[in-house]
Structure formats: C-alpha cells, structure tokens
Amino acid sequence: MTLDETKQLYDAHIMRTYGRAEVAFVRGRGCILEDTEGNEWLDCLAGIAVCGLGHAHPAIASAIAEQAGKLIHTSNLYYIPNQAAAAAELTSVCDLDKVFFGNSGAEAIEASIKLARKWGKQHRGGAYKVITALGSFHGRTLCALTATGQAKYQEPFTPLVPGFNYVPYGDIAALEEAVDEETVAILVEPIQGESGVRIPPAGYLRAIRDLCGQRGLVMILDEVQTGLGRTGKWFAHQHEGVVPDVMAVSKSLGAGFPVGACVARGEFGDVLVPGDHASTFGGGPLAAAAVTAFLRTMKSEGVVENAAAMGDYAADALTRLAGSQPGAIKEVRNRGLMIAVELCDPIARGVLTALYERRVLSNAIGDTILRVVPPLVIGREEIDRFVSALGEALIEVRGTPGAS
Ligand SMILES: *Cc1c(COP(=O)(O)O)cnc(C)c1O
C-alpha cells in the first residue's frame, strides 16, 4: 500500500487521536528504517524508547516466529513456561522478586497502584492515597492518567480517580510535607521522560527510599521509559543504589512486542492473590518469548554497557556542537541514551522538521526540547550522523551559525 492509500483509509476508519508525520515505514534493521517509497531513515527515537535492540533483530524475530508456529495463546488459567522464564530473566537484572505481566506501561502502573492500595488495606488501616509528581507521565488509562501530574491530559476526562496528590518533581521537602495518615505510596519516574528528560537532584531516590521506610509507604518507581538499559544501567534506580518496593516496566521489555510488567520486592510480591487482578493476554506465550529473547540478547551482546558508552559519546558530541553554534543549544542533558537537547529559542518543531528532511527521526517536547532516545545498539557512526544532521538543521532553522 502506498502512503496516499494508507492515508485515505486512515481518514475513513482510524480515530484521529494522533498527529502524524508524512511517512510510513515498512521494514528496518538496527537503527535504520525503510519507508514505503524505499528511502532509508536514521531512527533516533526507537518507537519512543521501545526498540532497545533496534529493528528486526534476528534473535527477537526468530523467537517470536518460532513461538507463533507452536502456540500463541492459552490464557493464565494454565501454566505458561515462557512466562516463568521471562520472569526469571527480568528478576535476574534487578533486586526485586515477583512479576505480574500485562500488555503496556499504563497496565503496569494500574497493577502497581492496585497492589499498593490492597497493601494499604492490609497493613496501613485502609490508607489509599498515592503521591505523584507534577510533570509526570504514567499512561492514559483513567487511573494512570490520574497519576499523571499534567492537567492538560486530565482536563477532558474529569472526574478522575480519587486519592492522588501531586508535588513538584525533585523536591523532597514537598514530598515530606504531602505525606499524611491516608497516604499509602509514592510513585515517581527516576527521570521524567515525557516532560523533557528532567533529571532530579542527586539523592532524590535515596531520600524517597528513606521517607517510605520511615512512614511505612510503598515506594513505586515508574521505570517504563528509564528501565532496561536506557540510562546505561539495567534500571535507573541502580544509579543511586536503592531498591523500590514496586516497579513498573514496559516500553522496551518485549523489544517492540507489546508487554508490560509490575515487579515487586519481598512481601510486596505476595499482596495480589487469585481474584485480585488479571489480564487475558498478560504474559502470554508470544509476549513472554519476546521478553526472554530480549533480556538474554541484551546480556549476551553487552547492550547495557553499549548504552552507557554511547550515551557518553553522544553527550560529548552534542556538547561540542553546542560550542560550535553559540546561542543555539541551552543545555545537553542525559543519563545513558536518554538524552535531551534543550534549545535556546522555541524552534524545536522547526528543527524536528529539518531533521525529517534529512531522514533523521527524533522527537520534540514542547517548543524548546528535542528528546533523543535511539536504539540501545546504536554505534559511533550513527551518532555522528545524527549530530551532524542536527548541526545542519539548526543552521537551516536559525540562519547562519552564531546568528540568533
Ligand atoms: C510510555 C510511558 C508510560 C505509558 O506506557 P503505555 O505503554 O503507553 O501505556 C508510562 N510511564 C512512562 C514513564 C512512560 O514513558
């Protein structure tokens, strides 16, 4: 199908929930995508921080194809060997113990909040309130949307779910202040992704860990975007040497196959029992095969180490670019390959378009921030290509180098 035919069918039959670029991709390899017209693109977005192993990795393709030829679905009424293997792999790269599989990030958040609420009934006299951060993003289902501290996403859908408070991100005093007798949990992202790669002050997660310990709260981390190697460690909380009680994981977990997981530590792994929570598809044979293959390949190919090294390399190259075009880039910030380029002027959309014209995919957040979250298997040459395309794009949008 051509792009024009595709667009006609969209107009007729797809709800208009997304603004889309004028391109459709049909195949890929590593960090390269090919569109309907046969053009090659450099992918520095990875399906929004999803395709950690790049596109069409042979280990993932064969794991999914082999499993699809044997069995796709049976339900959680029966044991699923792949689900057990996937959970064992996932808990081998963090200090948490038990997994509930769903199909998305929002579902991982829903499971985490339900777990915390039930724990509150059992151990905290019915405490049920969850504190989250302003500017956070936790997903679009009604409860995950309520957890999301951004009025613009919530406003069309009120009334929301009761029992949420919001505090400024990175502010531990505000968190201490907000905890009351009815509070059961604190839920934050280790780095805020959707609102522009906002990195909290050092010690923030450690302070939340201590606060949760002192006040008997469940510490829930949303590692949906930061997890699975993105920040140069398996999970972002490992940079501060803390362990959450509950963690939501998704995005790259199935290397592009839809899957999410709520992962819990110690006693928190035993809170939900038969009848409490379920998912028809969660942890099915196909998704679990993708998860197992993804995690094993990440380990065998040293991809987390690559993400750390390439994150440093990209940050250096982008910082040099900033130096070469004074007045263009206000700040480059990153943890591993979770990167933001904050521009001095509100030209992010124009720069994104100029990158598209060079067949480079990235993402704009608001008017000033470019988010760069490439596949974790990216190499030096591809980063060089991205940085030089960005340099050209900035010159094109701003006029001559140095002019403002
Ligand atoms: C993407 C994202 C989600 C939501 O995941 P979905 O799969 O779209 O439901 C939740 N939290 C964070 C931090 C995310 O980046």
Side-chain angles (χ1 to χ4, degrees), residues 314-316 318-319 322 329-334 339-342:
D316 284 351
L318 288 164
T319 304
I329 295 173
K330 187 171 159 204
E331 185 183 44
V332 175
R333 52 180 181 268
N334 79 304
I339 304 168
V341 179
E342 186 153 355

Side-chain angles (χ1 to χ4, degrees), residues 105-121 127-132 138-139 141-148 161-164 184-188 218 220-222 246-248 262 271-272 277:
E107 284 173 73
I109 292 291
E110 296 281 338
S112 303
I113 292 169
K114 284 181 72 175
L115 191 164
R117 281 201 174 184
K118 185 171 178 212
W119 187 85
K121 284 198 199 295
Y128 66 99
K129 287 186 187 164
V130 178
I131 303 175
T132 72
H138 299 295
T141 58
L142 201 51
C143 188
L145 178 70
T146 305
T148 293
V161 177
F164 285 82
V184 74
I186 295 173
L187 161 63
V188 295
V218 186
I220 309 173
L221 288 183
D222 181 345
V246 178
M247 165 170 85
C262 164
V271 171
L272 297 174
H277 197 50

Side-chain angles (χ1 to χ4, degrees), residues 104-106 109 137-139 189 194 222 224-225 250-251:
S104 66
I109 292 291
F137 185 83
H138 299 295
E189 295 155 85
E194 215 69 25
D222 181 345
V224 167
Q225 189 162 156
S250 186
K251 292 244 154 71

